[in-house]
Amino acid sequence: MLQTIRDNSQGVIAKIIIGFIIGVFALFGAESIIGGFLGGNNVASVNGEEITEPELAQSLQNVMAQMGANVQDFDEQLLREIALGQLIEDRLLMQAAESSGMTISDNSLDRQIVRTPQFQVGGVFDPDLARRTMGAQGFTAQTYRASLSQQMMMSQLANAYASSGFVTDEAIERLAALELQTRDFRYLSIPLGNRTLGEAIPADDIRAYYDNNPAEFTAPEQVSVNYVVLEKDRIFDEVEVDEARVRAQYEEERDAAVANIERRASHILWELGGDASQEELLAIAAGVKERLDAGEDFGELAREFSDDVVSAEDDGDIGYTDGSVFPAALEQALVTLEVDQVSDPVVSEFGVHLVKLTEYDAQEYPEFDEVAERIERDLNSAEVDQLYFSRLENLANLAFETFDLQAINEELGLEIQQSEYFGRSGGSSAITSEERVIEAAFSDDVLVEELNSELIELSDTRAVVLHLQEYRPEALIPFEDVRAEIAVTLRGQREREMARELGENLMAALDSGEDISGQIASESLSWIEREDVRRNQADVNIEIVRNVFQMPSPEASDPVRRGFSLNNGAYVLVELQAVEDGNAANMPEQQRQQLTAALIENQGRMSFDALLRNLQTDADITGLELDPGVL
């Protein structure tokens, strides 16, 4: 009873559950609710609990939506198995939560619902909006509460396991030894140079490379399309709104704003239904009213007398109303009050009230000159929207009814443009880089039947229709066109080989105890010394650091050597001289806390994964055959 008043008026208690709403809508959407009434084929059973085809269809839609535009690249059966696997996991978790005795109280559900931003207007819970939002997703209030309860229970179970991890000081020490480990080393970097300068690349090698690597020199299939573009922004120049329309809209908005009066109220409530009768409560309320008239504080008396303990803690405040939020008796009383005035005792279906008007907000609307530009802009946009959508519909019809773009050009005045040639990976222009344009250009309708494409809406303000101009099939590029390119490639390969050969020779000389300083100088190279380098050292090439930390620790005073090529072709010779393990005592407190939290989170995740595996192993799951890797 008291909750109803607060649900309709208190704006500070409704801000948390949006994540639950999204999850519930995604998991228990309209199709699964309706499917429960209409029936359908069962596709699987989890410990005797059936999963229906409509539920699987909804889960499949959610999986496809998460994967986005590239979903067509995946096998449909695999996607179906993934969707079913998710449903089975949810069933197992729900059954585990129920068997563990987990429940969600009605009060918890109420709190989550009234704190849902989707159910609020101006930060205040609106029951009508809540019912409409639930209905739009295929829920009644009862089915929504049931779905939300299940989602909260599964989250409660997951959180219980995810937060169960712990970490010892010994584990922190071991990780710190690795995380804070430093290494001393020196290295030679042998870059690509001009070692092959003056050395001709044999013509036979160039030809052999061309013959052995046809895929590198095969131009993919390409198309060029003609297209027309409908853009909303171009319509603005066609629209003009006269002052009479602007003034009429101003009058309408002003009348609506002035009529929108908000009042804020506080109350002291004596709830009906106890030992005292209504007459006795009225007498008590009248006595408190006399004390208020004598100057006592409303908030203090609310805390002393009000049965609405939540609002009493806030001096009796029950929020704002536009005349439709509170019970009718309270609304009628508020109309007669001045700010800070308290009503005589008022009786509603909830009990006996003393009502105080704390704020009165009668909207003042600005003068015409202050808002005329904005109104003109709004009217202009509305008319442009109407014209755009009308032409959009006309464009879609013409694209379907005609066999080229000429009729569209004549009727809608849209310029026929021609694209560059582009392949299935797209082109360089704004149009041909659009994925939906590429898909349409290579569709059977456009490519094979040579029909207009369907209307392609690139955004809310831009649409395009295509027609094939020319198709170029996949073809091998002539040898002469790529001869020079191949020569450059082969020369680069030879430069890499020579850099590697030099590096390997230098390392072999070092291993045999030779002095290589002369060779280094002749190649204009020099050792680079680095000390106390960490894994995340920013001023050393990341490839070098990664290789250094993969090397074994040196024994005694003998360095460990390794040679490797970088992605840019340079060859690096490294001498690892010393390794110093890290110490947790030297770890900053913030880093220690972050490391501890990461370990706990990882252990909690592993515990939850183990729970799922055990539930799957012990469960009786029948129905559609699943790939073992899906669950």
Side-chain angles (χ1 to χ4, degrees), residues 14 27 115 137 229 269 485 492 495 568 580-581 594 608:
L27 184 59
R115 292 172 179 174
Q137 298 293 334
V229 181
L269 172 67
E485 176 186 335
E495 287 286 347
N568 62 9
E580 182 71 26
D581 285 340
Q594 292 173 344
F608 182 69

Side-chain angles (χ1 to χ4, degrees), residues 143-190:
T143 57
Y144 175 80
R145 288 175 66 87
S147 298
L148 180 58
S149 176
Q150 291 185 7
Q151 187 73 11
M152 291 174 66
M153 283 179 63
M154 286 190 291
S155 297
Q156 189 179 79
L157 179 67
N159 290 335
Y161 278 85
S163 60
S164 64
F166 65 92
V167 61
T168 64
D169 289 340
E170 183 181 359
I172 293 292
E173 288 289 348
R174 288 198 304 270
L175 281 173
L178 293 174
E179 184 72 18
L180 302 182
Q181 185 184 91
T182 62
R183 298 195 167 203
D184 299 341
F185 61 93
R186 67 175 185 168
Y187 68 93
L188 284 172
S189 180
I190 305 171

Side-chain angles (χ1 to χ4, degrees), residues 15-286:
K15 296 180 179 174
I16 298 178
I17 193 58
I18 185 66
F20 285 109
I21 298 298
I22 295 172
V24 170
F25 285 169
L27 184 59
F28 303 99
E31 291 192 24
S32 62
I33 299 299
I34 296 171
F37 295 101
L38 299 182
N41 296 328
N42 296 327
V43 295
S45 172
V46 182
N47 294 325
E49 186 176 344
E50 304 296 341
I51 295 177
T52 66
E53 181 65 46
E55 288 178 300
L56 178 56
Q58 181 64 42
S59 181
L60 179 60
Q61 288 181 7
N62 295 334
V63 170
M64 295 172 68
Q66 292 168 7
M67 301 186 73
N70 295 326
V71 68
Q72 69 275 4
D73 297 334
F74 293 86
D75 179 69
E76 183 177 350
Q77 181 61 27
L78 175 60
L79 296 178
R80 183 177 171 88
E81 290 184 0
I82 292 173
L84 181 56
Q86 290 181 351
L87 284 176
I88 291 174
E89 284 189 1
D90 289 338
R91 286 289 198 278
L92 290 171
L93 289 174
M94 190 63 202
Q95 291 169 0
E98 291 174 341
S99 66
S100 299
M102 290 184 175
T103 59
I104 302 297
S105 69
D106 289 341
N107 286 339
S108 295
L109 285 172
D110 288 341
R111 284 195 300 270
Q112 301 291 21
I113 290 172
V114 299
R115 292 172 179 174
T116 303
Q118 287 186 338
F119 298 161
Q120 295 177 357
V121 175
V124 179
F125 177 75
D126 187 320
D128 291 332
L129 175 61
R131 283 191 291 271
R132 291 196 301 272
T133 304
M134 293 176 190
Q137 298 293 334
F139 290 99
T140 64
Q142 291 75 20
T143 57
Y144 175 80
R145 288 175 66 87
S147 298
L148 180 58
S149 176
Q150 291 185 7
Q151 187 73 11
M152 291 174 66
M153 283 179 63
M154 286 190 291
S155 297
Q156 189 179 79
L157 179 67
N159 290 335
Y161 278 85
S163 60
S164 64
F166 65 92
V167 61
T168 64
D169 289 340
E170 183 181 359
I172 293 292
E173 288 289 348
R174 288 198 304 270
L175 281 173
L178 293 174
E179 184 72 18
L180 302 182
Q181 185 184 91
T182 62
R183 298 195 167 203
D184 299 341
F185 61 93
R186 67 175 185 168
Y187 68 93
L188 284 172
S189 180
I190 305 171
L192 301 185
N194 296 317
R195 298 177 182 89
T196 63
L197 190 63
E199 177 183 325
I201 304 298
D204 290 345
D205 289 354
I206 298 175
R207 184 71 204 196
Y209 189 91
Y210 177 81
D211 293 337
N212 294 332
N213 299 277
E216 290 187 32
F217 309 110
T218 299
E221 60 178 338
Q222 292 185 316
V223 295
S224 174
V225 295
N226 293 327
Y227 63 93
V228 293
V229 181
L230 177 64
E231 295 179 285
K232 181 191 288 188
D233 292 344
R234 294 181 178 272
I235 302 177
F236 279 92
D237 294 337
E238 304 176 28
V239 175
E240 185 175 349
V241 178
D242 60 33
E243 184 177 343
R245 287 183 59 193
V246 176
R247 189 167 292 279
Q249 181 67 23
Y250 170 78
E251 299 290 345
E252 183 178 335
E253 291 183 6
R254 184 188 62 183
D255 292 345
V258 171
N260 185 22
I261 298 175
E262 283 193 333
R263 294 177 171 86
R264 188 173 188 174
S266 297
H267 80 157
I268 302 173
L269 172 67
W270 288 269
E271 187 177 357
L272 292 173
D275 295 334
S277 66
Q278 179 174 309
E279 289 73 17
E280 290 171 327
L281 294 179
L282 285 169
I284 295 172

Side-chain angles (χ1 to χ4, degrees), residues 265-557:
S266 297
H267 80 157
I268 302 173
L269 172 67
W270 288 269
E271 187 177 357
L272 292 173
D275 295 334
S277 66
Q278 179 174 309
E279 289 73 17
E280 290 171 327
L281 294 179
L282 285 169
I284 295 172
V288 173
K289 175 65 162 56
E290 291 177 359
R291 293 172 62 179
L292 289 167
D293 291 343
E296 292 194 42
D297 183 70
F298 189 95
E300 292 294 334
L301 292 176
R303 282 185 282 276
E304 180 179 350
F305 289 100
S306 184
D307 290 331
D308 186 353
V309 293
V310 173
S311 69
E313 291 300 319
D314 197 17
D315 293 338
D317 181 48
I318 53 176
Y320 292 91
T321 178
D322 60 359
S324 63
V325 173
F326 303 146
L330 271 67
E331 296 285 4
Q332 293 171 6
L334 286 171
V335 171
T336 66
L337 299 177
E338 301 291 337
V339 173
D340 293 332
Q341 186 178 2
V342 180
S343 72
D344 290 329
V346 176
V347 179
S348 77
E349 62 267 35
F350 300 108
V352 176
H353 310 254
L354 289 177
V355 185
K356 179 181 179 180
L357 179 64
T358 57
E359 292 182 22
Y360 177 83
D361 182 17
Q363 298 291 331
E364 293 185 2
Y365 203 67
E367 295 297 324
F368 174 77
D369 291 341
E370 298 178 46
V371 294
E373 183 177 348
R374 190 268 303 165
I375 294 175
E376 181 179 2
R377 187 169 58 250
D378 290 347
L379 291 174
N380 188 286
S381 294
E383 188 167 338
V384 168
D385 285 344
Q386 185 176 0
L387 281 172
Y388 177 72
F389 289 119
S390 174
R391 293 178 186 178
L392 198 66
E393 182 179 5
N394 197 5
L395 177 58
N397 292 335
L398 288 170
F400 177 76
E401 294 168 357
T402 60
F403 296 98
D404 56 31
L405 302 180
Q406 192 59 42
I408 296 174
N409 168 260
E410 294 172 357
E411 184 160 338
L412 296 179
L414 300 178
E415 177 188 0
I416 299 175
Q417 304 177 62
Q418 183 175 335
S419 76
E420 79 278 19
Y421 285 92
F422 61 97
R424 292 183 182 270
S425 59
S428 58
S429 69
I431 287 290
T432 58
S433 61
E434 289 280 352
E435 185 170 348
R436 296 178 63 191
V437 169
I438 300 167
E439 182 180 349
F442 286 92
S443 67
D444 286 345
D445 284 350
V446 174
L447 197 60
V448 179
E449 302 296 333
E450 296 190 18
L451 301 173
N452 292 333
S453 72
E454 294 181 350
L455 177 73
I456 305 169
E457 293 190 62
L458 302 178
S459 67
D460 292 338
T461 62
R462 198 161 177 250
V464 63
V465 173
L466 316 176
H467 191 89
L468 180 67
Q469 166 64 23
E470 185 179 351
Y471 172 72
R472 289 178 177 176
E474 180 180 273
L476 190 65
I477 301 173
F479 172 69
E480 292 302 326
D481 292 349
V482 294
R483 176 197 292 270
E485 176 186 335
I486 296 173
V488 170
T489 299
L490 293 178
R491 188 175 297 280
Q493 290 179 357
R494 181 61 183 146
E495 287 286 347
R496 286 172 177 262
E497 291 169 1
M498 294 187 73
R500 185 180 69 253
E501 289 173 4
L502 175 58
E504 290 173 348
N505 291 336
L506 290 173
M507 186 160 65
L510 282 172
D511 289 341
S512 63
E514 297 180 25
D515 181 5
I516 64 170
S517 57
Q519 291 177 270
I520 292 176
S522 67
E523 293 287 343
S524 300
L525 304 175
S526 61
W527 288 104
I528 299 175
E529 305 275 351
R530 297 306 305 256
E531 295 182 349
D532 298 329
V533 174
R534 294 190 175 185
R535 296 176 185 274
N536 58 350
Q537 195 91 2
D539 60 346
V540 183
N541 183 293
I542 189 172
E543 292 181 76
I544 296 176
V545 173
R546 183 170 61 248
N547 277 276
V548 166
F549 275 86
Q550 291 173 352
M551 296 169 66
S553 299
E555 297 180 2
S557 60

